[in-house]
Amino acid sequence: MLFNSFEFILFSIGFLAIYFSTSDRIKPFILQLAYHMGFKEVALIGCDHNFAQSGPAKKTVVSGEKDASHFVPYYFAGGVKWQLPDLLQSEVSYSMARDIYEGSGRKAYNCTDGGKLEIFDRMALIEFVARK
């Protein structure tokens, strides 16, 4: 297990201590779960790591009529309150996951078409699936 300066678990390879924080994105949690389940390779899809709205991390904002920051325009739409992402913390979590995967002879690939997440090696999803 790895700990940050506040002694919170950031990535756990054991199931009973999986780190999950509502302040982070869900993908680092899913990467831990896949690790625990024994996956040797993981394909991330839909990780554009880019938001239309910008501002301080975790700032509460009110959505407009349509949501330009998510994969569907009604995800957070119509005046819903939501917090701006902490992209730096997400990158720390992704980097830690990448390092743990690779240190264990495993690999996570970013199979997103486009996007700005460059922590993981890129691979087209069709290529990832075809290799199996």
Side-chain angles (χ1 to χ4, degrees):
M1 275 185 259
L2 298 175
F3 297 87
N4 69 11
S5 61
F6 298 105
E7 306 267 348
F8 293 113
I9 301 168
L10 294 176
F11 192 99
S12 173
I13 59 173
F15 181 71
L16 295 178
I18 287 180
Y19 169 77
F20 178 71
S21 169
T22 57
S23 65
D24 290 332
R25 312 326 291 147
I26 192 70
K27 289 174 278 304
F29 170 74
I30 298 300
L31 284 166
Q32 288 177 81
L33 198 56
Y35 186 97
H36 168 72
M37 294 172 70
F39 285 90
K40 302 295 182 202
E41 293 185 318
V42 175
L44 296 168
I45 56 174
C47 298
D48 46 358
H49 199 60
N50 184 32
F51 291 81
Q53 289 181 289
S54 62
K58 302 179 186 175
K59 176 185 176 187
T60 299
V61 295
V62 178
S63 67
E65 187 176 318
K66 292 186 177 181
D67 180 358
S69 293
H70 293 90
F71 57 96
V72 292
Y74 52 83
Y75 190 81
F76 285 137
V80 171
K81 290 182 181 180
W82 65 289
Q83 287 185 335
L84 294 177
D86 186 341
L87 295 177
L88 179 59
Q89 180 58 51
S90 292
E91 290 174 5
V92 168
S93 297
Y94 288 140
S95 295
M96 187 171 293
R98 179 202 57 215
D99 294 347
I100 290 173
Y101 265 76
E102 292 178 1
S104 301
R106 302 178 189 196
K107 190 84 172 171
Y109 296 95
N110 182 1
C111 295
T112 301
D113 187 18
K116 295 186 177 182
L117 179 61
E118 301 301 336
I119 304 292
F120 302 98
D121 289 341
R122 291 222 177 227
M123 181 181 293
L125 183 59
I126 190 102
E127 181 183 342
F128 181 87
V129 172
R131 296 170 359 137
K132 301 301 162 204

